[in-house]
Amino acid sequence: MSLQNHLTARIRADGPMSVADYMSDCLLHPQFGYYTTRDPLGAKGDFTTAPEISQMFGELLGLSLAQAWLDQGAPAPFTLAELGPGRGTLMADLLRATRGVPGFHAAMQIHLVEASPALRGVQAKALKDQAPRWQDSVDALPDQPLFLVANEFFDALPIRQFIRAGDGWSEMRIGLQDGALAFGLSSAASQPALAHRLEDTKDGDLVELCEAAAPILHAIAARIAARGGAALIVDYGDWRALGDTLQALRAHEPADPLQTPGEADLTAHVDFEALAMAAKTAGCAFTRLTPQGVFLERLGITDRARALAAPLQGAALDSLIAAHRRLTHPEEMGNLFKVLGLYPPQAAPLPGLNP
Ligand code: SAH
């Protein structure tokens, strides 16, 4: 049995499936899922992420969160949480950078929300001195102040895709054509969840809907609004996306999302407007959506890079300079990736972000 066979059997039994169901099976099927069965990160894997590019990323995010914690009167105990921690690199860098913040480590309880047993194993090694707790979902996070970070988590959540047809929407579905997986369209129907997209789209436009995101965001925002805390959400995407952003990456190269299911990373751009609206519904404040490069510059990434560069020369120096550029330059990750902060309405926004 393979994921390809499983999907084919599922489509033969139930008919064509939504892009969201396809993404779910590809990424998190218990036996064949992409994340469930491997560590996909790094040079030898399929893609790389900001914390894997440089320690500066996790350090600066950690210091922003720790300053927000100090600004809110250093509540103790508090939850320090990460969604989808990958290899645990961001959390390890965050913890090293915040060691000198008086009381922060004594008051924190680390919770990692991670669906992949394979990656939980990698995280346990990276954080072996910390005894983190793992959770299946944000609902299990304790009812206490919550300081949270999520990098490239929301882009891995399944999306549905719709094409505008009059005042209705046809849904993209994945079925079989001559035995192979192929995209098709359902007949048009009204979609109450897309009512606001009738304003800014025309016939034939494609929009995406991530139904899993809002409940997750709501759970985080409700804790921050009621108990205090802050969240940094970093991902690629924009305020209200338009068009097909489903993307497969294999060995650092774009791939066809329907080829080799379960063997490639599948992601979609994050609709930050939807996240912000879910925060608002929960009574939580959110910051202006800010390009990653601007955010990291405001937090002092260039000074940090200079300090790290001082003892270096040759290839090590070149690689540090390249990492700084990659994280911040508008033509690299600096503009494509955005940062949204969440904070309690009565508190100051996080350092590096504006209301
Ligand atoms: N944040 C890391 C890894 C990003 S990859 C980094 O920046 O390097 C996405 C991560 O989210 C992986 O750890 C993956 O296993 C996890 N993940 C994906 N979908 C998830 C879900 N529905 N629930 C919990 N974790 C999930």
Side-chain angles (χ1 to χ4, degrees), residues 170-326:
S170 296
E171 181 161 11
M172 290 285 265
R173 288 184 181 279
I174 292 155
L176 296 171
Q177 208 169 20
D178 304 326
L181 296 171
F183 284 109
L185 276 178
S186 71
S187 48
S190 83
Q191 289 294 342
L194 293 176
H196 64 300
R197 299 310 303 265
L198 292 173
E199 301 158 10
D200 70 325
T201 54
K202 54 182 188 330
D203 260 13
D205 280 350
L206 187 151
V207 302
E208 296 175 337
L209 181 65
C210 180
E211 288 171 319
I216 294 173
L217 217 288
H218 194 278
I220 297 166
R223 277 173 183 70
I224 293 174
R227 300 278 173 216
L232 284 173
I233 297 166
V234 188
D235 229 307
Y236 62 134
D238 223 322
W239 197 262
R240 197 181 274 211
L242 182 66
D244 177 11
T245 73
L246 182 67
Q247 169 181 299
L249 269 186
R250 198 173 184 203
H252 301 266
E253 294 292 334
D256 178 336
L258 300 189
Q259 292 292 324
T260 58
E263 301 291 324
D265 187 35
L266 282 181
T267 57
H269 282 203
V270 172
D271 177 359
F272 281 98
E273 182 188 34
L275 302 188
M277 292 310 119
K280 194 172 169 184
T281 313
C284 186
F286 56 89
T287 66
R288 211 172 275 225
L289 189 62
T290 304
Q292 172 175 302
V294 172
F295 173 67
L296 294 175
E297 287 293 359
R298 284 182 185 153
L299 294 176
I301 192 170
T302 302
D303 287 342
R304 180 67 183 129
R306 282 206 186 98
L308 288 171
L312 301 179
Q313 47 189 329
L317 181 58
D318 291 347
S319 124
L320 176 74
I321 294 167
H324 174 273
R325 183 188 152 90
R326 201 155 163 210

Side-chain angles (χ1 to χ4, degrees), residues 72 75 78-81 83 111 113 135 137-148 215-231 278-279 281-285 342-346:
Q72 291 180 34
F78 74 95
T79 304
L80 178 64
L83 308 184
H111 289 260
V113 177
Q135 306 294 356
S137 105
V138 287
D139 297 324
L141 295 175
D143 186 17
Q144 62 186 13
L146 171 63
F147 291 80
L148 176 142
I216 294 173
L217 217 288
H218 194 278
I220 297 166
R223 277 173 183 70
I224 293 174
R227 300 278 173 216
T281 313
C284 186
L342 307 182
Y343 59 104
Q346 67 281 7

Side-chain angles (χ1 to χ4, degrees), residues 28 35 41 47 49-52 82-87 90 113-116 119 123 136 151-153 156-157:
L28 293 177
Y35 284 120
L41 288 139
F47 63 99
T49 57
E52 301 299 331
E82 182 172 359
L83 308 184
R87 285 185 172 168
L90 194 168
V113 177
E114 174 56 67
S116 160
L119 286 172
Q123 292 154 21
D136 295 329
N151 184 61
E152 291 213 44
F153 169 79
L157 297 180

Side-chain angles (χ1 to χ4, degrees), residues 25-152:
D25 267 355
C26 286
L27 295 179
L28 293 177
H29 184 281
Q31 220 181 325
F32 309 114
Y34 178 73
Y35 284 120
T36 15
T37 54
R38 77 195 73 208
D39 169 6
L41 288 139
K44 291 204 189 82
D46 294 304
F47 63 99
T48 195
T49 57
E52 301 299 331
I53 291 170
S54 167
Q55 69 185 75
M56 296 185 287
F57 185 79
E59 290 172 352
L60 292 170
L61 266 63
L63 292 173
S64 177
L65 276 187
Q67 185 62 52
W69 177 77
L70 289 170
D71 290 345
Q72 291 180 34
F78 74 95
T79 304
L80 178 64
E82 182 172 359
L83 308 184
R87 285 185 172 168
T89 309
L90 194 168
M91 184 55 80
D93 292 335
L94 178 161
L95 291 171
R96 194 182 56 255
T98 53
R99 244 181 343 215
V101 178
F104 191 74
H105 282 210
M108 74 191 179
Q109 295 170 355
I110 303 174
H111 289 260
L112 307 176
V113 177
E114 174 56 67
S116 160
L119 286 172
R120 282 186 183 199
V122 181
Q123 292 154 21
K125 279 198 195 125
L127 301 168
K128 58 179 181 318
D129 302 330
Q130 303 293 339
R133 288 214 230 153
W134 281 270
Q135 306 294 356
D136 295 329
S137 105
V138 287
D139 297 324
L141 295 175
D143 186 17
Q144 62 186 13
L146 171 63
F147 291 80
L148 176 142
V149 61
N151 184 61
E152 291 213 44

